[in-house]
Amino acid sequence: MDVGLISFVIAALTVHWDLAKSDGSLIASAGFAGMAIGASLGGLLADRIGRRSVFALTLLVYGLATGASALALGVGTLIALRFVVGLGLGAELPVASTLMSEFAPARIRGRIIVWLEAFWAGGWILAAVIGTFVATSGPAGWRWALALGMIPAVYSLVIRLGMPESVRFLETKGRHEEAERIVRDFEASAGIGAEEQAVPHSSEARTAPDAQITGVGDQGRVSADAVGVVPEADQVATGGIWSASLRARTAGLWVVWFCINLSYYGAFIWIPTLLVDRGFDLTKSFTFTLIITLAQIPGYAAAAWLIEVLGRRWTLTIFLAGSALSAVGYGMADSEALILVAGCLLSFFNLGAWGALYAIGPELYPTAVRGTGTGAAAAFGRLASIIAPFLVPALVLAGGQWLAFGVFALAFAVAAAAAFTLPEQRGKALAE
């Protein structure tokens, strides 16, 4: 919701403040600069102090900063506050997928993470509704739109008090009793009695490929020591995510993150404004954007199904290739009908690709560097999101919207090629 809102706010300020495109680019890029730093720091902190604590903190930071942005009296203040918003939001996204990956059973882990990311569509749709009906309500409408962004700050308290810490993280830190207590809570909620809970702590249990916190072992239950792992800690102790065993997947993941950020944020941050440039008024521009945004939901649904049928690599590659073709179609669209069709296809494929990407990232790394690996890839990708808001006006000036979307199509194609180099992790236990 927060990322979506700023695209509508920029379009509204273009009308009410006579905001220059360069200033709009600065407002958008300031948030992405914060996201780049936040993603990197959030991943590192998640591997040191825990996933849950970092997750709750990030919600609080970006919720409060978004609310404060509603009080901005000038472009400079808004830029500074958007940077703070980015710090929180950038850290939250990879930490959330890491936390959920470590709780999900291998059989449906990819599907769970795609559905987790599908709530991004819910937030963007809500942003489109707020943008259409609140941001357009008058000169102060954009302020009320941003004020609604404070809601996540309240939800951070729910997360902090109610969300359990990752069992895998606790095990790596030697906090075995706390890990065991969380697992027993899960077992109790499933109706497993105390007399059934004991499982021998053995090396066989630790390496069982199907063992998961909520998975099924020989007796239908596991202990905190049996979380389905393949030891890799020794291999990454010195080299981290760039160790010999991980560097190829790290490089491939970084390329995908960079290209998908460049194309996604370049297109979707500017779509409302570019529609205004095509001659649509503010209300119609926002309405078109809302319709296009609705196509994200079936995109996520298709990816959630395919990721456990075709696997992670093929699903991501197909959706990125579809995004490339859709970007070409949108750049060449010359009527309202074609704009809507191509825009909806771009939204469908692009957001399906995002869901698959978030599912893949945490699976590529062992527990000790899982937060760091996913956060670092996200941080590198955010560099492209910083560039994208400045790139679009330059490309449009040089060759029109077809050139801008042609560049996005090329970036999607490169991302598809890089995605196909990543190892397939469908059905495999997370590495310890």
Side-chain angles (χ1 to χ4, degrees):
M1 186 182 74
D2 184 275
V3 173
L5 275 177
I6 200 61
S7 66
F8 294 97
V9 167
I10 290 172
L13 291 179
T14 300
V15 175
H16 299 306
W17 281 8
D18 196 24
L19 189 74
K21 280 189 169 58
S22 58
D23 288 335
S25 297
L26 284 172
I27 292 171
S29 291
F32 296 134
M35 290 175 75
I37 297 172
S40 181
L41 292 178
L44 290 169
L45 286 173
D47 284 337
R48 285 161 176 76
I49 67 175
R51 284 71 160 119
R52 180 186 63 173
S53 297
V54 175
F55 186 28
L57 178 62
T58 59
L59 287 169
L60 183 65
V61 168
Y62 89 77
L64 292 177
T66 298
S69 299
L71 303 176
L73 298 178
V75 174
T77 304
L78 190 55
I79 289 172
L81 287 169
R82 290 307 303 174
F83 177 80
V84 179
V85 168
L87 288 175
L89 184 60
E92 185 273 335
L93 296 172
V95 172
S97 59
T98 297
L99 177 62
M100 294 306 295
S101 291
E102 293 179 339
F103 273 113
R107 180 176 56 86
I108 56 171
R109 185 174 58 238
R111 185 166 297 161
I112 285 176
I113 302 307
V114 174
W115 278 118
L116 168 67
E117 295 310 316
F119 280 84
W120 175 279
W124 198 285
I125 290 168
L126 185 57
V129 171
I130 294 171
T132 302
F133 298 105
V134 179
T136 59
S137 61
W142 66 272
R143 296 186 185 275
W144 289 108
L146 287 177
L148 293 173
M150 290 190 68
I151 295 173
V154 179
Y155 188 61
S156 66
L157 298 176
V158 178
I159 292 293
R160 187 65 183 88
L161 297 174
M163 175 75 75
E165 181 56 89
S166 164
V167 172
R168 291 174 178 273
F169 168 79
L170 295 173
E171 287 283 293
T172 63
K173 298 301 181 181
R175 296 159 61 180
H176 304 297
E177 291 185 4
E178 188 177 348
E180 189 70 29
R181 183 170 63 253
I182 293 172
V183 172
R184 290 187 184 277
D185 286 342
F186 271 94
E187 291 170 334
S189 71
I192 299 175
E195 70 279 359
E196 300 176 304
Q197 289 175 354
V199 173
H201 292 190
S202 64
S203 59
E204 289 80 13
R206 291 187 61 83
T207 57
D210 291 331
Q212 295 286 337
I213 295 168
T214 55
V216 179
D218 292 339
Q219 303 176 25
R221 65 198 68 86
V222 295
S223 72
D225 255 3
V227 290
V229 297
V230 179
E232 287 188 21
D234 293 341
Q235 300 178 36
V236 300
T238 55
I241 62 174
W242 292 103
S243 63
S245 61
L246 298 178
R247 64 171 65 116
R249 62 186 66 181
T250 295
L253 187 64
W254 282 30
V255 170
V256 176
W257 264 96
F258 187 90
C259 291
I260 199 172
N261 268 274
L262 183 72
S263 302
Y264 175 77
Y265 288 109
F268 282 88
I269 286 293
W270 280 108
I271 277 180
T273 303
L274 292 177
L275 287 171
V276 171
D277 288 347
R278 289 193 180 197
F280 300 106
D281 62 33
L282 200 59
T283 300
K284 194 166 189 178
S285 170
F286 286 5
T287 302
F288 273 32
T289 304
L290 174 58
I291 294 171
I292 290 170
T293 301
L294 289 172
Q296 295 181 13
I297 296 177
Y300 277 118
W305 177 67
L306 288 173
I307 203 164
E308 301 295 1
V309 176
L310 297 180
R312 282 74 162 127
R313 181 171 58 186
W314 270 109
T315 299
L316 180 58
T317 301
I318 289 171
F319 275 81
L320 286 170
S323 299
L325 294 175
S326 300
V328 172
Y330 190 88
M332 297 176 65
D334 57 2
S335 68
E336 290 188 11
L338 289 177
I339 288 172
L340 285 174
V341 170
C344 286
L345 287 173
L346 180 60
S347 187
F348 174 92
F349 283 110
N350 196 182
L351 275 297
W354 270 114
L357 179 59
Y358 272 104
I360 287 174
E363 295 182 340
L364 299 179
Y365 299 101
T367 302
V369 295
R370 185 167 294 120
T372 301
T374 54
F380 185 72
R382 299 304 174 193
L383 297 179
S385 64
I386 297 170
I387 298 169
F390 294 99
L391 182 64
V392 172
L395 291 174
V396 171
L397 183 64
Q401 294 191 24
W402 71 267
L403 177 60
F405 282 87
V407 170
F408 298 152
L410 178 61
F412 278 131
V414 172
F420 203 69
T421 69
L422 298 175
E424 180 57 60
Q425 299 294 98
R426 180 179 56 163
K428 298 180 180 179
L430 293 178
E432 177 67 8

